[in-house]
Amino acid sequence: MNTKTTGRSRLRLSAASAALLLGTALGAVGAQAESIKVMDYLTEGTATVAFDNILLKACTEKTGLTVERTSVPYAELVQQFLLAASTNSMPDIAYIDNSDVAQLAAAGYLTSVADIGMSLEGFVPALQALGNYEGKDYAVPSLNNTVALYYHKAMLEKAGIQPPTTWAELKAAAKALTQGDTYGFVFPGINNEQGTFHTSPFIWSNGGNFEQLNSAQNVEALTYLRDLVNDGSVSKSVVTFAIPDARDQFISGRAAMMIGGSWLLPQLDEHPDLSYGVVPVPVPEGKARGVPTGGELWVISATANKANAKAFLECVSSPEMMLTYALDRNNVPSREALWADFNAKLPRMAPFVESLAGARSRAAVLGTQYPKYSAAYSAAMQAILIGEKDPQAALDEAQATAEAGM
């Protein structure tokens, strides 16, 4: 990075000073008059405000580092990171989706957590593993989330319907709740990782996976979703819906039920007249719940100042900061010691905490291959939902595409 290639002897002295200061107390304000570049994809509403006002502001004060923040849309973060790498202008640290860690680590653009001298002791092992690539931890866990089923209380009560727990109940409820301009059910079905993420509970709870895209279980799961579109319970426009679009459909009353993550809770709170409930995502009769493990991880670029990265990451991932941020973001903290306090202070997160018992890592098996399998899957999902292709044929093609490396 340009800021690291001038005044090299001065920066070495500064890094040494930072290390000494960190050895005495995390909260001590360092004497560094330096900046740290941060890249993230939190571009919307309450998420970006919390990131600025809770994490960045507090840790700027505690470390003495000035933050230079770059926020880009979710779908563009990896591309922008790679572009920055090609121009020798990578951020020092980035806040990324856990499914992208392996890709950046394999390309040699990340520094391991051990290389900056930071410990991951106290983090939930399964969540720490989300940032592991070929035996090394390349990420510091932050917050975790998954999805659940949101529903309009008044709509279900008026129809005499209990919140569904099985696929059969969901299908019947969605059909009964489809009235006038209101569809019974909505989910983000856009052709990218958001579409994969929000439909993955139907894949995993049916015994499917993303390694074998054309399995009988996957075909059955996407046939189920296609049938909801075919019978009018889900709008055909669902293939154009990103997370904000599905959320807005629900808020406006144009959808009675919605698959959504816990991060939506503060956004829905901005609408005091909205009365809603949340339950775990319905599953096939007699089968176990499977949901995606979402959430962001902190990664360190290969060109980062190690002392500065360590100082800042130890601040943002400290128990105090993590709990405060988790409560504001309605995400589960990665430190297990914080869970009891978190549950006591935010009991409405219970459906999400409960669901995390069946959480799956999207990239655990496929590693760096995951993005192309996800892309092939989401493209097939779209073709299936709009009736362009038969489910088996679409997923056969997706499997072939993924295996061929696209």
Side-chain angles (χ1 to χ4, degrees):
M1 299 178 67
N2 293 334
T3 56
K4 301 292 187 291
T5 56
T6 58
R8 185 169 296 173
S9 61
R10 180 182 62 81
L11 289 179
R12 284 176 180 161
L13 177 61
S14 176
S17 300
L20 289 172
L21 287 167
L22 284 168
T24 58
L26 172 65
V29 178
Q32 311 160 69
E34 299 182 37
S35 64
I36 187 165
K37 292 186 177 182
V38 178
M39 180 180 285
D40 65 86
Y41 57 67
L42 303 180
T43 58
E44 187 181 348
T46 56
T48 191
V49 171
F51 194 70
D52 268 331
N53 292 347
I54 295 178
L55 288 186
L56 302 190
K57 181 179 179 181
C59 289
T60 292
E61 295 173 353
K62 289 185 177 183
T63 64
L65 292 165
T66 299
V67 173
E68 296 180 20
R69 181 186 177 195
T70 300
S71 259
V72 299
Y74 170 85
E76 298 177 17
L77 187 137
V78 171
Q79 178 183 1
Q80 291 297 319
F81 192 100
L82 297 176
L83 179 62
S86 71
T87 59
N88 195 32
S89 58
M90 282 193 293
D92 295 291
I93 57 178
Y95 201 52
I96 70 174
D97 187 273
N98 61 67
S99 65
D100 294 324
V101 174
Q103 179 182 358
L104 296 179
Y109 294 132
L110 300 183
T111 295
S112 74
V113 177
D115 283 345
I116 67 168
M118 186 173 173
S119 170
L120 294 182
E121 183 179 357
F123 289 91
V124 179
L127 302 177
Q128 177 182 334
L130 295 174
N132 190 280
Y133 176 69
E134 294 189 344
K136 288 186 176 182
D137 291 316
Y138 283 94
V140 178
S142 178
L143 306 184
N144 304 277
N145 57 62
T146 188
V147 294
L149 182 75
Y150 288 80
Y151 63 92
H152 280 274
K153 289 183 176 180
M155 291 184 187
L156 268 67
E157 289 172 1
K158 183 178 179 180
I161 296 172
Q162 293 296 314
T165 60
T166 67
W167 279 14
E169 291 175 356
L170 175 62
K171 186 174 185 179
K175 184 64 176 176
L177 293 166
T178 300
Q179 302 286 336
D181 294 333
T182 298
Y183 288 93
F185 184 45
V186 70
F187 54 89
I190 194 170
N191 185 11
N192 63 23
E193 183 61 24
Q194 290 186 17
T196 300
F197 187 87
H198 286 81
T199 58
S200 64
F202 295 92
I203 296 294
W204 277 320
S205 65
N206 200 44
N209 58 60
F210 289 93
E211 302 91 75
Q212 191 64 41
L213 296 176
N214 58 347
S215 69
Q217 294 91 338
N218 288 9
V219 170
E220 184 178 18
L222 289 186
T223 298
Y224 174 82
L225 293 178
R226 180 203 63 183
D227 290 347
L228 292 175
V229 175
N230 285 349
D231 73 10
S233 300
V234 173
S235 169
K236 291 182 179 180
S237 297
V238 71
V239 295
T240 68
F241 291 165
I243 292 172
D245 304 304
R247 176 205 62 199
D248 291 346
Q249 291 289 312
F250 183 75
I251 289 173
S252 67
R254 293 193 294 272
M257 298 181 292
M258 169 185 67
I259 297 291
S262 57
W263 59 84
L264 293 177
L265 290 168
Q267 298 174 30
L268 300 185
D269 288 346
E270 295 176 359
H271 303 270
D273 295 334
L274 184 64
S275 178
Y276 65 91
V278 187
V279 293
V281 177
V283 299
E285 188 74 42
K287 294 190 178 181
R289 181 169 293 108
V291 294
T293 305
E296 292 81 25
L297 301 172
W298 293 99
V299 295
I300 310 105
S301 78
T303 58
N305 179 297
K306 294 181 180 180
N308 289 352
K310 179 183 179 184
F312 206 78
L313 292 178
E314 286 187 334
C315 178
V316 295
S317 63
S318 66
E320 178 186 3
M321 292 302 304
M322 183 176 286
L323 180 60
T324 301
Y325 189 46
L327 290 169
D328 188 273
R329 287 286 309 281
N330 289 266
N331 275 215
V332 182
S334 295
R335 293 181 179 273
E336 191 169 5
L338 299 175
W339 282 5
D341 197 5
F342 177 78
N343 285 333
K345 291 179 177 177
L346 203 59
R348 69 177 183 171
M349 281 289 293
F352 299 98
V353 176
E354 176 187 342
S355 296
L356 279 173
R360 309 288 184 88
S361 168
R362 288 163 285 160
V365 176
L366 289 166
T368 57
Q369 301 300 307
Y370 173 77
K372 65 183 180 182
Y373 276 77
S374 172
Y377 165 83
S378 62
M381 174 193 69
Q382 292 231 312
I384 292 166
L385 292 181
I386 64 176
E388 182 180 285
K389 295 180 181 179
D390 171 79
Q392 184 70 64
L395 289 170
D396 284 343
E397 182 180 324
Q399 183 69 24
T401 299
E403 290 176 351
M406 300 181 67

